[in-house]
């Protein structure tokens, strides 16, 4: 039966008084409503993973602050920003069992402000052109060595930031150890929360704990050797040298323990997040012929400002995370004065849906269109507010430059879909180069 015949049949049914069941405008929410409250979060989690944008669009339009027994979903951009703007109310306490006294697990504390200031001082903005050049060199070398085909996750997307960790941050550990330690901590800190309900939660946490012990052992070797180089005037100019050369007074309470935890944080934050962003951006661009052509032209012309816009817009459609997470330290009303106003009780876990916020038509014009010229504040790729990613500026050159090196090769193309292998992170992505 043709589409015309189907349409005529429907019209005839209406004219003849036959009831026609309307198509629901909220199929995702209907499925959730059919469940008992205690059963809704597992389905919502599945919808976030597999029907992300459709589900988020329903939430924004019909249930912008949606409660389940485990978490509350925050879908509107204004409310996401509100949650992320009041860290003493919506806290990062869920990080503490995973991160201990690392600054990311602290809200507006002396330690947070001090450590963040120190790390921003050693991650100098003026280093970005040098870092981008190193990224280009390492990526091109890897692509040249690969020949006709590259497995882009292991050989490129993880490999390049690992070299940055070694050459620019000064963490000179064995390649596979650095990769394993970054992966183990990313799994535990961001994909092994109480509301995730993972059956292997304890094993994931133990792997992260073991990796941190090994990382501290590495620093016990690196730091004395680097201090000796500093005294001899032969130390390389990298993050480890800079932080050990600060000579902060004892009253600042920034001793060797803070050096280890903060420089170690550079490793944990750099590799896996960069790798996922690179693979997601490549896969999204390869799926869009018109955008791909524009991105290739900008890459070949060396127009980084134009090219980077393609990468950030690709990541709006396929970001590394769809949401962040916070815990309410007190009872609070959000979206006050609006029809969606809601009281959030103390202890509630809230998920600000950052992907949803980047598609909110109240803030993002024509959100379903791919527009590489959007202003950067459209995006929430590096978070927002007090806990915005410390490595934002390093990531802002590292991620697009790796993608650019691939697209500068005019025949680069995917040979198979991204393989997640049942994990939260890409595990394989084969790209043809010739």
């Amino acid at each position: 039966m043709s589409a015309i015949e189907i349409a005529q049949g429907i019209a005839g049914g209406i004219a003849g008084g036959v009831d026609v069941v309307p198509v629901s405008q909220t199929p995702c929410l209907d499925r959730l409503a059919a469940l008992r409250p205690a059963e809704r979060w597992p389905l919502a989690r599945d919808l976030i993973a597999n029907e992300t944008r459709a589900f988020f669009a329903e939430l924004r339009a019909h249930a912008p602050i949606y409660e389940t027994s485990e978490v509350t979903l925050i879908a509107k951009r204004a409310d996401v920003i509100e949650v992320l703007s009041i860290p003493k109310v919506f806290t990062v306490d869920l990080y503490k069992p995973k991160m201990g006294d690392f600054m990311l697990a602290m809200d507006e504390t002396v330690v947070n402000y001090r450590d963040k200031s120190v790390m921003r001082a050693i991650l100098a903005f003026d280093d970005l052109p040098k870092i981008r050049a190193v990224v280009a060199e390492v990526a091109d070398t890897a692509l040249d060595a690969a020949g006709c085909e590259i497995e882009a996750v292991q050989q490129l997307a993880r490999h390049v930031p690992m070299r940055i960790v070694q050459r620019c941050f000064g963490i000179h550990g064995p390649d596979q150890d650095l990769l394993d330690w970054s992966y183990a901590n990313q799994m535990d800190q961001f994909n092994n929360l109480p509301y995730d309900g993972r059956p292997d939660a304890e094993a994931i946490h133990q792997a992260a704990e073991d990796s941190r012990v090994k990382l501290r052992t590495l620093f016990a070797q690196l730091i004395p050797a680097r201090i000796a180089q500093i005294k001899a005037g032969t130390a390389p100019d990298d993050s480890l040298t800079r932080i050990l050369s600060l000579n902060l007074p004892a009253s600042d309470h920034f001793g060797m323990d803070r050096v280890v935890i903060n420089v170690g944080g550079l490793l944990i934050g750099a590799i896996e997040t960069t790798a996922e962003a690179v693979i997601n951006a490549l896969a999204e661009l390869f799926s869009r012929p018109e955008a791909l052509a524009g991105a290739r032209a900008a890459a070949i012309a060396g127009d980084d400002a134009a090219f980077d816009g393609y990468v950030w817009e690709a990541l709006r459609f396929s970001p590394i995370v769809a949401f962040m997470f916070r815990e309410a330290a007190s009872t609070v009303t959000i979206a006050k004065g609006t029809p969606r106003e809601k009281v959030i009780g103390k202890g509630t876990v809230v998920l600000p849906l950052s992907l949803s916020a980047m598609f909110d038509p109240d803030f993002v014009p024509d959100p379903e269109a791919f527009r590489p010229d959007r202003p950067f504040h459209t995006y929430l790729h590096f978070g927002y507010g007090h806990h915005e990613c410390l490595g934002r500026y390093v990531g802002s050159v590292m991620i697009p430059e790796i993608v650019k090196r691939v697209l500068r090769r005019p025949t680069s193309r995917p040979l198979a879909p991204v393989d997640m292998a049942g994990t939260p992170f890409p595990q394989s992505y084969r790209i043809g180069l010739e």
Side-chain angles (χ1 to χ4, degrees):
M1 183 179 289
S2 70
I4 293 175
E5 289 170 326
I6 292 171
Q8 289 172 339
I10 292 173
I14 294 171
V18 177
D19 290 335
V20 176
V21 178
V23 176
S24 172
Q25 295 182 338
T26 56
C28 295
L29 289 170
D30 291 348
R31 290 165 62 190
L32 287 166
L35 300 174
R36 293 180 302 165
E39 298 173 331
R40 289 174 185 166
W41 168 235
L43 175 57
R45 187 171 54 205
D46 183 71
L47 292 170
I48 290 172
N50 298 303
E51 301 178 47
T52 317
R53 282 164 48 206
F55 179 41
F56 287 176
E58 286 186 33
L59 289 176
R60 287 193 304 272
H62 302 283
I65 303 173
Y66 185 82
E67 296 174 300
T68 75
S69 56
E70 285 86 358
V71 303
T72 294
L73 307 179
I74 311 293
K76 293 286 290 181
R77 173 110 180 186
D79 304 339
V80 168
I81 297 303
E82 180 180 0
V83 167
L84 297 177
S85 297
I86 44 177
K88 295 293 280 187
V89 177
F90 291 105
T91 73
V92 290
D93 285 352
L94 289 170
Y95 288 100
K96 289 181 179 177
K98 312 290 185 178
M99 298 185 179
D101 59 352
F102 183 49
M103 62 179 166
L104 185 58
M106 302 181 184
D107 295 289
E108 296 188 324
T109 63
V110 171
V111 171
N112 181 287
Y113 281 113
R114 181 201 62 207
D115 287 19
K116 193 180 295 181
S117 297
V118 169
M119 296 307 291
R120 283 176 171 163
I122 68 166
L123 294 171
F125 197 86
D126 291 344
D127 290 340
L128 297 184
K130 171 188 171 184
I131 291 174
R132 191 155 192 159
V134 173
V135 169
E137 173 208 329
V138 175
D140 279 344
T141 299
L143 290 162
D144 290 341
C148 298
E149 175 185 331
I150 191 167
E151 195 293 285
V153 177
Q154 305 296 342
Q155 295 177 269
L156 184 71
R158 284 179 175 146
H159 172 76
V160 176
M162 178 194 65
R163 289 286 181 251
I164 295 299
V165 164
Q166 294 167 326
R167 291 169 57 171
C168 298
F169 298 163
I171 308 175
H172 295 284
D175 291 0
Q176 194 57 52
D177 285 347
L178 297 181
L179 294 169
D180 290 346
W181 298 343
S182 176
Y183 186 88
N185 280 278
Q186 285 289 327
M187 274 294 297
D188 189 42
Q189 293 173 8
F190 300 98
N191 297 278
N192 191 29
L193 281 297
Y195 56 79
D196 286 320
R198 299 187 65 98
D200 54 353
E202 285 300 319
I204 291 173
H205 183 60
Q206 190 57 53
E209 289 285 295
D210 293 345
S211 74
R212 287 191 282 271
V213 171
K214 294 172 183 176
L215 183 57
R216 287 193 291 270
T217 300
L218 175 65
F219 275 114
Q221 301 167 353
L222 291 178
I223 288 174
R226 184 58 60 86
I227 290 173
Q229 288 180 301
I230 292 169
K231 290 179 178 178
T234 59
D237 180 23
D238 56 30
S239 299
L240 184 60
T241 293
R242 291 177 183 178
I243 201 166
L244 292 173
S245 302
L246 289 176
N247 296 317
L248 295 173
S251 58
D252 279 338
H253 303 290
F254 195 91
M256 208 56 68
D257 59 328
R258 305 311 303 171
V259 171
V260 171
I261 195 169
N262 283 289
V263 178
L266 295 178
L267 162 67
I268 294 168
I271 298 177
E272 211 56 49
T273 51
T274 300
E276 187 174 4
V278 167
I279 297 303
N280 287 10
L282 281 169
E284 189 68 31
L285 288 169
F286 279 135
S287 74
R288 296 175 175 271
E290 185 176 346
L292 179 63
R296 282 197 198 277
I300 292 169
D303 187 346
D304 288 347
F307 179 80
D308 292 2
Y310 283 94
V311 174
W312 304 130
E313 182 71 350
L315 286 172
R316 185 171 70 91
F317 286 85
S318 185
I320 64 172
V321 293
F323 58 83
M324 296 166 236
F325 51 88
R326 296 291 188 267
E327 184 175 0
S330 58
T331 297
V332 61
T333 301
I334 64 170
K336 188 175 293 187
T338 72
R340 63 184 184 274
E341 176 180 310
K342 189 175 286 287
V343 175
I344 304 295
K346 179 180 179 180
T348 300
V349 175
V350 299
L351 305 187
L353 304 175
S354 48
L355 188 154
S356 177
M358 292 190 289
F359 280 83
D360 189 339
D362 289 348
F363 185 87
V364 181
D366 197 9
E368 293 299 326
F370 189 102
R371 287 174 35 184
D373 60 345
R374 295 186 189 275
F376 193 78
H377 62 255
T378 301
Y379 308 115
L380 295 173
H381 300 321
F382 296 98
Y384 182 88
H386 186 60
H387 290 290
E388 181 184 55
C389 177
L390 176 70
R392 167 184 173 175
Y393 295 108
V394 175
S396 72
V397 297
M398 187 157 52
I399 293 164
E401 188 62 30
I402 299 171
V403 176
K404 185 175 81 173
R405 304 328 289 186
V406 175
L407 297 190
R408 281 175 61 88
R409 301 183 181 233
T411 60
S412 59
R413 65 209 181 277
L415 301 178
V418 177
D419 183 3
M420 304 295 288
T423 75
F425 303 108
Q427 299 300 317
S428 177
Y429 189 40
R430 293 172 48 232
I431 294 177
L433 299 173
E434 294 181 1

